[in-house]
């Protein structure tokens, strides 16, 4: 049995994670950052060692940053990866090249999933409170009012583990989901696709190209470290057994790769695109994340990224509840906040897949004309190029408060920007690194201690919220009549990004959640009421009860 480090004898944990794929490993890292006791159980022997996901977005890189692992994963990415949809004659239909990085990272990045997974696995070595168990299958879950009993079968025998909560991250065929009895409704694409990953890229051309050829649609993607991926739609009558033969591969590649070129295949596989979502994401103390909760076609590269969003959203909520900082009701907000966004991603990915997979020449001509017409309109072309069509996490219910909010639609429930700022100890640092991995209250042009009442300050201190005073960078070291409260972090707005953000809205005080969603916002005079509103939203204990405990 292979383990990430020496396994400790620990049968009572805060969270048990079923599955050591990217979502399971990511949530284990995030829970480790929050100091929780975690055990991960994986039925397989080790990480899967061939490429699967190939697209990582800015939100996922921001989550790697939150986990303290972004510098480790960046060498396995291609920043600002171009995505081009072309017709059968290689003429552009749509070109996606978003230049912005408002959340601190490029919006599109190619990556090698096995190496990113390895970064996540090795990241767990930092935590004495987190273990990974390979060849360990969870065969039973039994919930009661206080926790979950897991029956785990491993080569050395059967054992029982008790966890306060369980996270099922065990893939599209999730045994955890089946044990909960949740339906997995949705559709499957009518045609299978054949994927080939090749070492020593015979083309070398950067970028991702989706060739909408009605004769046979296919995809050609540059992946880091000299890997090229091809994906071909199979035609009616073409079987998996036929596709796995060398002759079939040669026939597919012949129009693209010269016969004289060396083709060193890493893997080949036939797969079906599914668009499905679990009936629920929570049952009592058991949660589903990633493919266990939802699967979608590959066309927007959002299956992997959606699972990472799940991990981030759920991790800090589990930490709050397990620390006694919030009530169990907070955990219901995981599904409330994630479900609508996942559905939007599934629908977009399904629509793009149908558009690409047209095999009728008349239908393809109509599609091509539609995309060329859009490209002829500058505003529409910009909408496509900058990927503004991508659904962003936008929450209207959940762990949020509208108390104090003045604008509509306002910033509450949306992701906050991540510019580079300065602090009194660092001339240049990304905002999230300055804030740390937990909550922050950011006040523009105001000392947060001066605008909050005693009750609000007590509530924020109890939760461990970092108080932040944002200013123009030229004012960074100005000390007014005396020193700033040592509990307040002063940050300088280096390039004006923060000021522009606040210029556009009446809200000048923000409560930023660990997932960088704005949990509350208001003008300075409403900041204390906003803090109390957020405490109500997460079912935080009343301050009057803290003295009794």
């Amino acid at each position: 049995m292979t383990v990430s480090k020496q396994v400790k004898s620990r049968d009572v944990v805060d969270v048990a994670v079923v599955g050591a794929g990217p979502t399971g490993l990511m949530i284990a890292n995030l829970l480790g950052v929050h100091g929780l006791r975690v055990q991960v159980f994986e039925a397989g022997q080790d990480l899967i060692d061939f490429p699967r996901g190939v697209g990582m977005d800015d939100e996922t890189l921001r989550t790697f940053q939150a986990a303290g692992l972004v510098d480790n994963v960046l060498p396995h990415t291609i920043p600002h990866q171009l995505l081009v949809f072309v017709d059968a004659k290689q003429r552009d239909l749509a070109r996606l090249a978003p230049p912005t990085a408002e959340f601190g990272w490029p919006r599109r990045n190619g990556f090698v999933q096995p190496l990113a997974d390895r970064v996540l696995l090795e990241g767990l070595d930092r935590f004495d409170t987190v273990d990974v168990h390979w060849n360990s299958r969870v065969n039973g879950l039994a919930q009661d009012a206080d926790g979950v009993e897991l029956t785990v079968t491993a080569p050395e025998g059967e054992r029982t583990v008790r966890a306060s909560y369980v996270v099922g991250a065990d893939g599209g065929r999730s045994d955890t989901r089946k044990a909960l009895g949740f339906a997995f409704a949705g559709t499957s694409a009518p045609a299978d696709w054949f994927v080939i990953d090749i070492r020593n890229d015979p083309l070398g051309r950067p970028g991702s190209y989706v060739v909408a050829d009605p004769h046979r649609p296919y995809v050609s993607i540059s992946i880091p470290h000299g890997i090229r991926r091809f994906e071909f739609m199979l035609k009616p009558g073409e079987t998996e057994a036929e596709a796995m033969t060398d002759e079939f591969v040669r026939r597919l590649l012949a129009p693209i790769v010269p016969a004289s070129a060396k083709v060193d295949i890493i893997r080949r596989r036939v797969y079906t695109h599914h668009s499905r979502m679990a009936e629920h994401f929570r049952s009592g103390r058991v949660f589903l994340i990633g493919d266990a909760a939802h699967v979608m076609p590959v066309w927007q590269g959002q299956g992997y990224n959606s699972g990472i969003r799940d991990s981030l959203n759920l991790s800090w909520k589990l930490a709050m509840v397990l620390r006694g900082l919030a009530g169990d009701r907070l955990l219901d907000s995981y599904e409330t906040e994630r479900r609508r966004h996942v559905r939007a991603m599934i629908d977009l990915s399904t629509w793009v897949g149908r558009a690409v997979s047209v095999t009728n020449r008349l239908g393809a001509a109509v599609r091509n004309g539609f995309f060329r017409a859009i490209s002829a309109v500058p505003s529409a072309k910009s909408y496509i190029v900058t990927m503004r069509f991508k659904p962003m996490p936008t929450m209207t219910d959940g762990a949020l408060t509208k108390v104090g909010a003045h604008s509509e639609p306002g910033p509450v429930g949306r992701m906050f920007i991540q510019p580079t700022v300065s602090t009194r100890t660092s001339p240049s640092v990304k905002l999230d690194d300055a804030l740390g991995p937990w909550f922050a209250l950011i006040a523009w042009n105001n000392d947060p201690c001066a605008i909050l009442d005693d009750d609000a300050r007590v509530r924020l201190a109890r939760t461990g919220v970092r108080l932040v005073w944002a200013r123009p960078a030229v004012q960074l070291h100005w000390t007014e009549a005396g020193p700033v409260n040592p509990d307040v972090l002063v940050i300088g707005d280096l390039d004006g990004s923060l000021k522009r953000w606040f210029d556009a809205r009446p809200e000048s005080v923000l409560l930023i959640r660990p997932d960088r969603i704005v949990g509350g916002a208001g003008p300075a005079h409403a900041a204390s009421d906003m803090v109390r509103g957020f405490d109500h939203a997460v079912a935080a204990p009343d301050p009057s009860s803290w003295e009794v405990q």
Side-chain angles (χ1 to χ4, degrees), residues 403 441 447-462 467 485 509 523-533 535 543 546:
V403 174
L441 183 134
D447 179 353
C449 289
I451 61 174
L452 295 166
D453 61 31
D454 290 343
D455 174 72
R457 286 197 296 270
V458 168
R459 290 172 182 270
L460 294 172
R462 165 74 171 178
L467 302 180
N485 187 316
V509 183
H525 65 79
S528 296
D529 288 337
M530 180 261 287
V531 169
R532 283 184 280 273
D535 263 15
W546 300 345

Coordinates of all heavy atoms in Angstrom, one line a residue, residues 403 441 447-462 467 485 509 523-533 535 543 546:
V403 N -28.1 43.2 4.4 CA -28.2 44.3 5.4 C -27.1 45.3 5.0 O -25.9 45.0 5.0 CB -28.0 43.8 6.8 CG1 -28.0 45.0 7.8 CG2 -29.1 42.9 7.2
L441 N -12.5 41.9 6.7 CA -13.4 43.0 6.5 C -12.6 44.1 6.0 O -11.6 44.6 6.6 CB -14.1 43.4 7.9 CG -15.1 44.6 7.7 CD1 -16.4 44.3 8.5 CD2 -14.5 45.9 8.3
D447 N -10.6 53.6 9.0 CA -10.1 52.7 10.0 C -11.3 51.8 10.4 O -12.2 52.4 11.0 CB -9.5 53.4 11.2 CG -9.0 52.5 12.3 OD1 -9.2 51.3 12.2 OD2 -8.4 53.0 13.2
P448 N -11.3 50.5 10.1 CA -12.4 49.7 10.5 C -12.8 49.8 12.0 O -13.9 49.7 12.4 CB -12.1 48.3 10.1 CG -10.7 48.3 9.6 CD -10.2 49.8 9.5
C449 N -11.8 49.9 12.8 CA -12.0 50.0 14.3 C -12.8 51.3 14.6 O -13.6 51.3 15.6 CB -10.7 50.0 15.1 SG -9.9 48.4 15.1
A450 N -12.7 52.3 13.8 CA -13.3 53.6 14.1 C -14.8 53.6 13.7 O -15.6 54.4 14.2 CB -12.6 54.7 13.5
I451 N -15.2 52.7 12.7 CA -16.5 52.8 12.2 C -17.4 51.6 12.7 O -18.6 51.6 12.5 CB -16.5 52.7 10.7 CG1 -15.9 51.5 10.2 CG2 -15.8 54.0 10.1 CD1 -16.0 51.3 8.7
L452 N -16.8 50.7 13.5 CA -17.6 49.5 14.0 C -17.9 49.8 15.5 O -17.1 50.3 16.2 CB -16.7 48.3 13.9 CG -16.4 47.8 12.5 CD1 -15.4 46.7 12.5 CD2 -17.7 47.2 11.8
D453 N -19.1 49.4 15.9 CA -19.4 49.5 17.3 C -18.8 48.3 18.1 O -18.3 47.3 17.5 CB -20.9 49.6 17.5 CG -21.7 48.4 17.0 OD1 -21.2 47.3 17.0 OD2 -22.9 48.6 16.6
D454 N -18.9 48.3 19.4 CA -18.3 47.3 20.2 C -18.8 45.9 19.9 O -18.1 44.9 19.9 CB -18.5 47.6 21.7 CG -17.7 48.9 22.2 OD1 -16.8 49.3 21.5 OD2 -18.1 49.4 23.3
D455 N -20.1 45.8 19.7 CA -20.7 44.5 19.5 C -20.2 43.9 18.2 O -19.8 42.7 18.1 CB -22.2 44.6 19.4 CG -22.9 43.3 19.0 OD1 -23.0 42.4 19.8 OD2 -23.4 43.2 17.8
A456 N -20.1 44.7 17.1 CA -19.6 44.2 15.8 C -18.1 43.8 16.0 O -17.7 42.8 15.4 CB -19.7 45.3 14.8
R457 N -17.3 44.6 16.7 CA -15.9 44.2 16.9 C -15.7 42.9 17.6 O -14.9 42.1 17.3 CB -15.1 45.4 17.6 CG -14.9 46.6 16.7 CD -13.8 47.5 17.3 NE -14.2 48.0 18.6 CZ -14.9 49.2 18.7 NH1 -15.2 49.9 17.7 NH2 -15.2 49.6 19.9
V458 N -16.6 42.7 18.6 CA -16.5 41.4 19.4 C -16.9 40.3 18.5 O -16.2 39.2 18.5 CB -17.5 41.5 20.6 CG1 -17.7 40.1 21.2 CG2 -16.9 42.5 21.6
R459 N -17.9 40.4 17.6 CA -18.3 39.4 16.7 C -17.2 39.0 15.7 O -16.9 37.9 15.5 CB -19.6 39.8 16.0 CG -20.8 39.8 16.8 CD -22.0 40.4 16.1 NE -23.2 40.5 16.9 CZ -24.1 39.6 17.0 NH1 -24.0 38.5 16.3 NH2 -25.2 39.8 17.8
L460 N -16.6 40.0 15.2 CA -15.5 39.8 14.2 C -14.3 39.2 14.9 O -13.7 38.3 14.3 CB -15.1 41.1 13.5 CG -16.2 41.8 12.7 CD1 -15.7 43.2 12.2 CD2 -16.5 40.9 11.4
A461 N -14.0 39.6 16.1 CA -12.8 39.0 16.8 C -13.1 37.5 17.1 O -12.2 36.7 17.0 CB -12.5 39.8 18.0
R462 N -14.3 37.2 17.5 CA -14.7 35.8 17.8 C -14.5 34.9 16.6 O -14.0 33.8 16.7 CB -16.2 35.8 18.2 CG -16.8 34.5 18.3 CD -16.4 33.6 19.4 NE -17.2 32.4 19.5 CZ -17.0 31.4 20.4 NH1 -16.0 31.5 21.3 NH2 -17.8 30.3 20.4
L467 N -9.2 42.6 10.0 CA -9.6 44.0 9.7 C -8.6 44.6 8.8 O -7.4 44.6 9.1 CB -9.7 44.8 11.0 CG -10.7 44.2 12.1 CD1 -10.7 45.1 13.3 CD2 -12.1 44.0 11.5
N485 N -4.1 50.8 14.9 CA -4.3 49.6 15.7 C -3.5 48.4 15.2 O -3.7 48.1 14.0 CB -5.8 49.3 15.8 CG -6.1 48.2 16.8 OD1 -5.5 47.2 16.8 ND2 -7.2 48.4 17.6
V509 N -17.5 49.2 2.6 CA -17.0 48.2 3.6 C -17.5 46.9 3.1 O -18.7 46.7 2.9 CB -17.5 48.6 5.0 CG1 -17.0 47.5 6.0 CG2 -17.2 50.0 5.4
P523 N -22.2 50.9 3.2 CA -21.5 52.2 3.5 C -20.9 52.1 4.9 O -21.4 51.2 5.7 CB -22.5 53.3 3.3 CG -23.8 52.6 3.6 CD -23.7 51.2 3.1
A524 N -20.0 52.9 5.3 CA -19.4 52.9 6.6 C -20.4 52.9 7.7 O -20.2 52.2 8.7 CB -18.4 54.0 6.7
H525 N -21.4 53.8 7.6 CA -22.3 53.9 8.7 C -23.2 52.6 9.0 O -23.8 52.5 10.0 CB -23.3 55.1 8.5 CG -24.2 55.0 7.3 ND1 -25.3 54.2 7.3 CD2 -24.1 55.5 6.1 CE1 -25.9 54.3 6.2 NE2 -25.2 55.0 5.4
A526 N -23.2 51.7 8.0 CA -24.0 50.5 8.1 C -23.2 49.3 8.4 O -23.7 48.2 8.4 CB -24.9 50.3 6.9
A527 N -21.8 49.5 8.6 CA -20.9 48.3 8.7 C -21.3 47.4 9.8 O -21.2 46.2 9.7 CB -19.5 48.8 8.8
S528 N -21.6 48.0 11.0 CA -21.9 47.1 12.2 C -23.1 46.3 12.0 O -23.2 45.1 12.3 CB -22.0 48.0 13.4 OG -20.8 48.7 13.7
D529 N -24.2 46.9 11.4 CA -25.4 46.2 11.1 C -25.1 45.1 10.1 O -25.7 44.0 10.2 CB -26.5 47.1 10.6 CG -27.0 48.0 11.7 OD1 -26.9 47.6 12.9 OD2 -27.6 49.1 11.4
M530 N -24.3 45.3 9.1 CA -23.9 44.3 8.1 C -23.3 43.1 8.8 O -23.5 42.0 8.5 CB -23.0 45.0 7.1 CG -22.6 44.0 6.0 SD -20.9 43.3 6.3 CE -19.9 44.8 5.9
V531 N -22.4 43.4 9.7 CA -21.7 42.3 10.5 C -22.7 41.4 11.2 O -22.7 40.2 11.2 CB -20.6 42.9 11.4 CG1 -20.1 41.8 12.4 CG2 -19.5 43.5 10.7
R532 N -23.7 42.1 11.9 CA -24.7 41.3 12.6 C -25.6 40.5 11.6 O -26.0 39.4 11.9 CB -25.5 42.3 13.4 CG -24.8 42.7 14.7 CD -25.7 43.6 15.6 NE -25.7 44.9 15.1 CZ -24.8 45.9 15.5 NH1 -23.8 45.6 16.3 NH2 -25.0 47.1 15.1
G533 N -25.8 41.1 10.4 CA -26.6 40.4 9.4 C -25.9 39.2 8.9 O -26.6 38.1 8.7
D535 N -23.7 37.4 10.6 CA -23.7 36.4 11.7 C -25.1 35.7 11.7 O -25.1 34.5 12.0 CB -23.5 37.1 13.1 CG -22.1 37.1 13.5 OD1 -21.2 36.7 12.7 OD2 -21.8 37.4 14.7
P543 N -23.3 36.7 20.9 CA -22.2 37.0 21.9 C -22.6 36.8 23.3 O -21.7 36.5 24.1 CB -21.9 38.5 21.5 CG -22.4 38.7 20.1 CD -23.6 37.8 20.0
W546 N -21.5 33.5 24.7 CA -20.1 33.1 24.8 C -19.5 33.1 26.2 O -18.7 32.3 26.5 CB -19.2 34.0 23.9 CG -19.7 34.0 22.4 CD1 -20.5 33.1 21.8 CD2 -19.4 35.0 21.4 NE1 -20.7 33.4 20.5 CE2 -20.0 34.6 20.2 CE3 -18.6 36.2 21.4 CZ2 -19.9 35.3 19.1 CZ3 -18.5 36.9 20.3 CH2 -19.1 36.4 19.1

